């Protein structure tokens, strides 16, 4: 990333923050009201910023708007703090866990976060990331009914009945359990699907007729165990944004929110990072290049969860990051 002169940093900051607040291209005259440089100097530096790809010119105005590179520089290198307003503080202080369960508390936090950011807020409930499978066993209840049992390393037991469309024999189930015993001892819960489709399915195919029905039952049980508890606030706030004004984009946003895609997007957003900021095309959402996602882990005694805010590319990054930090503190302190 090209490092900028102090004066150019101030000009870029002014362009980004003006555009975030007003959603209008920013000209040199507007910048000169906040920065004590001549219009000629500002125009010259704006030209350099445009040449380096930090800002871009729109077709309808002589002003400039930030590019994705400009937003990225602003987020990574321009250290400005957001000071909580009285409204922010009042709404955050209303978040109390008294007499409500965990899910209601998460929903309360997500709603307040969405209200304060005018974006869509998503909170994934805390789960143990190191949960492992000690055993999976299939019990034949009748020729067309099975019970699948999953036992974790911490002693949790999950079970589910499944009606089958064809007959299975005791010999079939013995073969299934031999393979399950081989492949599912001390296995990471998150990698179980991969083992089913790369190893188990290959050998089941050779041993058991209609093996695919067993695979479906195993996958369903795992999906129910791995499925995240989600609290969503301001679900349709994205649809109110003037940045999303194309009908096809609106359809894609609705699809993203109506399905589990947004959860997958957030859940896969981390490696070893505590906080992730993805801007525009970094999200890899096809035509939805006008969106950004800020997500951050929180840790409780019950495991790790994620707080995320999904909004327009011109979202107020500093404000959102500050508010996420406040909500994170609240969850860390209250979810014991």
């Amino acid at each position: 990333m090209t490092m900028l002169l102090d004066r150019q940093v101030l000009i870029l900051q002014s362009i980004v923050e003006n555009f975030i607040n007003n959603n209008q291209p920013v000209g040199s005259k507007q910048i000169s009201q906040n920065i004590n440089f001549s219009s000629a100097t500002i125009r010259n530096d704006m030209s350099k910023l445009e040449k380096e790809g930090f800002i871009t010119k729109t077709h309808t105005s002589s002003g400039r708007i930030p590019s994705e590179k400009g937003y990225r520089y602003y987020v990574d290198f321009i250290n400005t703090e957001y000071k909580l307003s009285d409204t922010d503080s009042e709404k955050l202080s209303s978040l109390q866990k008294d007499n409500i369960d965990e899910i209601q508390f998460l929903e309360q936090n997500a709603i307040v976060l969405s209200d304060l950011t005018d974006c869509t807020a998503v909170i994934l409930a805390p789960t143990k990331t190191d949960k492992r499978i000690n055993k999976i066993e299939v019990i034949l209840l009748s020729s067309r009914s099975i019970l699948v049992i999953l036992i974790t390393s911490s002693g949790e037991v999950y079970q589910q009945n499944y009606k089958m469309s064809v007959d299975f024999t005791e010999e079939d189930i013995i073969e299934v359990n031999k393979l399950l015993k081989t492949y599912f001892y001390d296995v990471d819960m998150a990698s179980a699907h991969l083992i089913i489709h790369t190893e188990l399915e290959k050998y089941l195919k050779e041993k058991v007729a209609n093996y695919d029905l067993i695979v479906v039952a195993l996958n369903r049980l795992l999906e129910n165990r791995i499925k995240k508890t989600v609290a969503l606030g301001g679900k349709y706030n994205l649809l109110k944004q003037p940045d999303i004004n194309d009908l096809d984009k609106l359809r894609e946003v609705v699809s993203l929110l109506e399905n589990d895609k947004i959860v997958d997007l957030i859940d896969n957003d981390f490696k070893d990072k505590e906080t992730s900021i993805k801007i525009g095309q970094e999200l890899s959402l096809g035509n939805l290049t006008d969106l950004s996602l800020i997500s951050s882990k929180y840790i409780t005694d019950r495991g790790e969860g994620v707080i995320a805010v999904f909004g327009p590319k011109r979202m107020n990054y500093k404000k959102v990051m500050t508010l996420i930090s406040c909500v994170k503190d609240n969850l860390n302190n209250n979810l014991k």
Side-chain angles (χ1 to χ4, degrees):
M1 177 75 75
T2 305
M3 299 309 292
L4 303 175
L5 300 174
D6 289 347
R7 185 179 66 236
Q8 293 169 339
V9 169
L10 289 173
I11 291 170
L12 177 61
Q13 179 181 345
S14 180
I15 292 172
V16 171
E17 292 178 355
N18 268 290
F19 187 65
I20 284 171
N21 292 329
N22 303 313
N23 196 26
Q24 294 294 327
V26 184
S28 58
K29 185 176 180 181
Q30 192 173 355
I31 295 170
S32 66
Q33 294 173 0
N34 304 316
I35 299 176
N36 193 24
F37 301 125
S38 69
S39 293
T41 299
I42 292 171
R43 282 194 298 271
N44 184 51
D45 277 327
M46 286 177 71
S47 178
K48 290 178 181 177
L49 288 170
E50 185 174 3
K51 188 176 180 181
E52 291 288 344
F54 291 99
I55 59 176
T56 185
K57 185 177 182 179
T58 66
H59 297 296
T60 57
S61 168
S62 60
R64 304 293 189 276
I65 63 173
S67 65
E68 285 187 15
K69 184 177 179 180
Y71 282 120
R72 175 52 63 192
Y73 193 99
Y74 176 78
V75 166
D76 290 348
F77 300 111
I78 300 179
N79 297 316
T80 57
E81 291 186 6
Y82 173 78
K83 184 178 179 182
L84 294 176
S85 68
D86 291 341
T87 300
D88 296 334
S89 298
E90 184 179 341
K91 287 198 172 185
L92 289 167
S93 65
S94 72
L95 295 171
Q96 304 294 328
K97 195 177 181 299
D98 301 338
N99 302 319
I100 59 173
D101 63 25
E102 178 181 297
I103 302 306
Q104 289 174 311
F105 184 60
L106 293 176
E107 288 173 347
Q108 188 184 79
N109 277 266
I111 290 167
V112 167
L113 185 56
S114 69
D115 286 346
L116 294 177
T117 59
D118 288 325
C119 298
T120 296
V122 185
I123 300 179
L124 304 187
T127 56
K128 293 288 185 184
T129 56
D130 58 350
K131 188 175 286 189
R132 302 183 73 80
I133 298 171
N134 260 15
K135 183 180 182 180
I136 299 180
E137 184 177 1
V138 177
I139 296 174
L140 188 66
L141 301 176
S142 70
S143 62
R144 293 200 176 193
S145 177
I146 63 171
L147 174 69
V148 183
I149 301 172
L150 184 154
I151 303 173
T152 71
S153 56
S154 59
E156 297 166 294
V157 179
Y158 304 103
Q159 58 186 43
Q160 184 70 54
N161 289 335
Y162 294 98
K163 299 292 184 185
M164 312 304 275
S165 58
V166 298
D167 291 337
F168 283 87
T169 67
E170 287 286 357
E171 289 73 21
D172 289 332
I173 301 306
I174 287 170
E175 291 296 338
V176 169
N177 284 327
K178 281 181 184 175
L179 291 167
L180 289 173
K181 187 175 181 180
T182 300
Y183 289 106
F184 283 98
Y185 176 71
D186 195 28
V187 169
D188 177 21
M189 183 86 82
S191 64
H193 283 297
L194 185 63
I195 293 172
I196 287 174
H197 292 293
T198 58
E199 299 292 338
L200 188 71
E201 192 170 3
K202 181 170 62 177
Y203 292 107
L204 271 178
K205 188 185 299 185
E206 299 171 2
K207 302 283 187 180
V208 180
N210 300 303
Y211 72 94
D212 52 319
L213 297 179
I214 298 289
V215 169
V216 168
L218 293 171
N219 276 327
R220 284 181 181 167
L221 180 65
L222 286 167
E223 283 167 5
N224 289 337
R225 300 286 62 80
I226 296 171
K227 192 172 182 180
K228 302 285 184 179
T229 301
V230 182
L232 198 60
K235 185 173 183 179
Y236 296 113
N237 278 359
L238 283 176
L239 302 182
K240 303 173 188 175
Q241 301 292 341
D243 313 68
I244 312 296
N245 54 11
D246 176 274
L247 188 58
D248 290 333
K249 288 183 180 179
L250 285 171
R251 288 196 188 102
E252 288 187 52
V253 169
V254 170
S255 173
L256 189 68
L257 297 172
E258 294 288 356
N259 300 307
D260 287 336
K261 293 179 187 175
I262 193 169
V263 177
D264 293 337
L265 189 69
I266 293 164
D267 212 21
N268 296 327
D269 202 30
F270 295 97
K271 291 182 181 174
D272 298 321
K273 300 177 291 184
E274 184 176 328
T275 298
S276 170
I277 301 172
K278 289 196 172 176
I279 301 168
Q281 295 184 53
E282 295 171 0
L283 281 168
S284 301
L285 287 176
N287 293 327
L288 295 178
T289 57
D290 297 316
L291 301 175
S292 288
L293 173 68
I294 301 179
S295 43
S296 185
K297 289 181 184 178
Y298 67 96
I299 301 173
T300 73
D301 294 343
R302 303 184 190 186
E304 288 185 359
V306 180
I307 305 165
V309 170
F310 202 47
K313 191 160 59 178
R314 59 172 194 87
M315 72 162 73
N316 189 331
Y317 292 92
K318 307 298 182 180
K319 177 180 180 178
V320 172
M321 290 164 70
T322 299
L323 290 169
I324 285 178
S325 180
C326 292
V327 170
K328 182 195 293 193
D329 288 343
N330 191 35
L331 296 182
N332 289 342
N333 292 332
N334 284 281
L335 296 179
K336 302 296 186 183

